Amino acid sequence: MNESNINRRGFITIAGGISGTALFPVQTSAAEKDWIRYSHEIPVIQPYDVVVCGGGPSGTAAALSARREGLRVLLVEGQGQLGGMGTSGLVSHWLGGRTSDCTRWVVGGLFRSMAEEAEKKGVALIPVPDSTKKYQPHGWHQGQLGAGIPFDPYLMAHFLDTKIAEAGVDVLLLTQAVDVVVERNRITHVVVFNKSGLSAIPVKAVIDATGDADIAARSGCKVIKGRESDGLMTPATLQFHVDNVDQDELSDYIHEHDSPRFRKKIEELRAAGEWPFPFDIFISAQLTEKGTMFVNTSRLTGIDGTNGVSVTEGMIRGREEILQLLKVMNKHFPGFAQARLKAVAPLLGVRETRRIVGETELTVDDLVSGREFDDTIGYSAYGWDLPDPKRPSYQPMTEKKVEKRKPVTPVPYRIMVPRPLINLICPGRAVCVERDVLGPLRVMAPCFAMGEATGLAAQQVVRKNIAFRDVDVQVLRNKLRDNGAIVEWED
């Protein structure tokens, strides 16, 4: 919005402007759109130094980090719990934070400390691979899945509540950050909506941790959505959990047939007309208890995670597909004959939507050449995981045998800084990268690293009244080191 007026009663009048955020479509067709313009007076609530929009890994880490620096912080989350895809999306597996052999942490700082504390409290596991076995129950093969941190999503939601409360961060759950007021390239207010209605929050710095660059897009920053050639995005997944799995039978089959993802069996089922799905592999992993697994198999093509109608379609299609898949699992997959549906995610798993155009773009060539950055604030151990939009089981970078020079992917600070706003930063999967680089950076451990860095950066923005692009990155990196984060990597 580009019009604002704070009146004497502590209300702000918002009206549609150039960004069109207050212009609502009445009718949409392929040929035309009809619009109405509205103006509405909403209350201004208490001000904050920092408003963090999105309570997933990057947003939670950002809020904790900023609060640790003495800033007054509000964390706004659309779901009823913090944790993002790990809790509401049931992707209950923090990936990308350790080397594949689990001998080294790649992401330290808040991520490592929270993972270790969660393990001590029985919320999570930090698995160590069994060298006598070829496949590991938490990933079924030696690699990044096996090096992840599985956790109980319900216990994790409570764990995060506790961490945020202990830190003194204010939280609004079931609340959407729907818009912003912008004056002279600076966000002055974040507009939120919940059961109380619309409210405007005065703010000095904003951290867009929505994963979709929602705030960046609504405030006029340039963004790119999906694949540049056609705008298509990698398939979405509706995750589900099952229990009562006979993992001993499953393990025996996997070892005997060398088939952790059931490729051959799926080929046979498709030939017999019993596999109606567009994907060719089955992905499952044990969570914190033996016999309880999450299933990350479904691939819903054609879903746009920024479109309300499309997301609705994804949820409905996803639930139907889960029931179909569970019947196949019960009938044909060793170990799953008695498996029961334990939970279906209330949040659609979206891997890709918008990416900001930032101060720096991280490219495939950067990773292939092993380029080093003087503003690196963290790393990811994860690989090229970004399935083709139309072929859900095809991994373009893997199939092309593109190899990174180093086993870790650096995260330069400036890929999180959008243009042209001066007090907005975007950690998480909306960063400025060449599209194929999104695969290594979109998982949760590097999102923790990005969030922690942005919370620290906000301290400089607020206290010195500077832009995020003008943050002293070396001071930031030194502070991260002091907090146990990993900002240099030696092979």
Side-chain angles (χ1 to χ4, degrees):
M1 298 179 180
N2 69 338
E3 298 177 23
S4 65
N5 177 56
I6 310 267
N7 65 33
R8 293 180 181 178
R9 292 182 294 154
F11 282 69
I12 187 170
T13 302
I14 60 174
I18 296 173
S19 66
T21 51
L23 300 178
F24 282 77
V26 177
Q27 172 184 327
T28 303
S29 67
E32 65 180 28
K33 288 183 178 180
D34 293 330
W35 300 86
I36 61 170
R37 181 181 294 272
Y38 85 104
S39 178
H40 193 65
E41 188 175 69
I42 63 175
V44 176
I45 62 177
Q46 59 184 330
Y48 285 87
D49 293 324
V50 180
V51 173
V52 182
C53 303
S58 63
T60 300
L64 289 170
S65 179
R67 181 61 189 148
R68 189 165 56 187
E69 293 300 300
L71 300 180
R72 189 176 189 192
V73 182
L74 174 66
L75 178 57
V76 177
E77 166 56 38
Q79 303 299 312
Q81 56 197 354
L82 301 176
M85 288 308 305
T87 54
S88 297
L90 295 186
V91 189
S92 306
H93 209 185
W94 286 339
L95 296 174
R98 298 191 295 167
T99 56
S100 293
D101 61 7
C102 299
T103 60
R104 297 175 65 182
W105 289 85
V106 175
V107 181
L110 277 171
F111 171 74
R112 179 175 180 177
S113 66
M114 291 177 69
E116 292 176 337
E117 182 180 348
E119 182 190 39
K120 290 179 181 177
K121 293 183 175 179
V123 175
L125 297 179
I126 303 180
V128 176
D130 184 344
S131 60
T132 67
K133 294 184 178 181
K134 187 173 182 180
Y135 301 107
Q136 312 301 319
H138 301 286
W140 291 113
H141 59 89
Q142 293 177 349
Q144 276 299 293
L145 288 182
I149 310 293
F151 55 86
D152 183 300
Y154 311 108
L155 295 179
M156 179 59 72
H158 176 260
F159 174 76
L160 295 177
D161 285 342
T162 302
K163 298 300 293 182
I164 288 291
E166 290 174 349
V169 175
D170 289 345
V171 181
L172 284 174
L173 299 177
L174 299 171
T175 301
Q176 296 283 347
V178 296
D179 216 331
V180 292
V181 178
V182 178
E183 295 178 357
R184 299 182 181 89
N185 285 339
R186 180 184 293 273
I187 296 175
T188 61
H189 297 76
V190 175
V191 179
V192 301
F193 175 79
N194 56 26
K195 292 297 288 184
S196 300
L198 289 164
S199 303
I201 306 166
V203 66
K204 296 177 182 177
V206 179
I207 298 176
D208 180 351
T210 62
D212 299 309
D214 285 339
I215 305 305
R218 291 167 186 166
S219 59
C221 294
K222 185 176 180 181
V223 296
I224 299 169
K225 189 167 71 170
R227 192 163 62 182
E228 286 85 344
S229 59
D230 54 17
L232 293 179
M233 287 157 275
T234 195
T237 296
L238 188 62
Q239 306 282 347
F240 66 104
H241 292 183
V242 293
D243 60 11
N244 209 38
V245 178
D246 186 338
Q247 283 190 241
D248 293 331
E249 181 183 356
L250 174 60
S251 180
D252 289 344
Y253 175 87
I254 287 173
H255 282 85
E256 179 181 352
H257 295 272
D258 194 25
S259 181
R261 295 190 170 183
F262 290 1
R263 285 184 182 272
K264 186 174 181 180
K265 181 172 284 291
I266 288 171
E267 289 176 5
E268 295 170 352
L269 291 171
R270 177 171 278 123
E274 294 193 65
W275 189 261
F277 313 110
F279 41 87
D280 306 322
I281 57 177
F282 176 77
I283 303 173
S284 64
Q286 180 190 318
L287 293 172
T288 53
E289 296 181 354
K290 187 175 181 179
T292 299
M293 309 189 77
F294 86 93
V295 181
N296 183 11
T297 294
S298 171
R299 295 293 183 270
L300 301 165
T301 59
I303 299 299
D304 180 348
T306 68
N307 182 289
V309 173
S310 187
V311 170
T312 301
E313 175 194 345
M315 292 296 297
I316 295 171
R317 279 173 51 194
R319 284 190 284 265
E320 174 65 26
E321 194 169 89
I322 284 170
L323 295 180
Q324 290 180 320
L325 179 58
L326 185 58
K327 288 181 180 179
V328 174
M329 291 161 57
N330 290 154
K331 183 177 180 180
H332 295 289
F333 287 179
F336 289 94
Q338 303 300 320
R340 302 173 301 192
L341 186 63
K342 181 181 181 182
V344 175
L347 178 65
L348 187 65
V350 175
R351 295 174 173 85
E352 170 192 19
T353 53
R354 306 183 188 98
R355 307 187 307 280
I356 64 169
V357 175
E359 293 293 306
T360 296
E361 181 186 51
L362 186 64
T363 68
V364 170
D365 186 63
D366 290 333
L367 305 192
V368 171
S369 66
R371 180 183 173 188
E372 296 185 358
F373 295 85
D374 62 4
D375 62 338
T376 296
I377 51 82
Y379 293 91
S380 172
Y382 205 62
W384 305 113
D385 182 4
L386 199 69
D388 185 89
K390 294 183 178 180
R391 295 178 289 171
S393 299
Y394 178 77
Q395 292 278 2
M397 299 299 283
T398 302
E399 298 295 331
K400 294 174 185 176
K401 302 186 184 305
V402 179
E403 294 187 6
K404 298 186 291 181
R405 184 172 178 178
K406 296 185 177 182
V408 296
T409 296
V411 184
Y413 170 79
R414 291 180 178 86
I415 69 172
M416 300 186 290
V417 181
R419 301 172 180 168
L421 296 192
I422 62 178
N423 65 335
L424 176 67
I425 195 164
C426 302
R429 62 175 168 81
V431 289
C432 182
V433 295
E434 195 172 359
R435 181 175 176 270
D436 287 318
V437 178
L438 190 60
L441 295 190
R442 65 180 179 81
V443 292
M444 298 183 202
C447 287
F448 267 100
M450 288 184 257
E452 182 171 4
T454 57
L456 285 175
Q459 192 270 349
Q460 292 189 40
V461 172
V462 172
R463 300 294 188 220
K464 298 181 179 180
N465 193 28
I466 61 174
F468 273 108
R469 70 175 65 94
D470 296 326
V471 162
D472 187 325
V473 178
Q474 296 314 311
V475 170
L476 173 62
R477 279 163 48 88
N478 288 336
K479 186 68 175 179
L480 286 167
R481 285 191 199 94
D482 292 342
N483 292 341
I486 299 169
V487 295
E488 288 100 8
W489 184 263
E490 294 184 5
D491 295 335

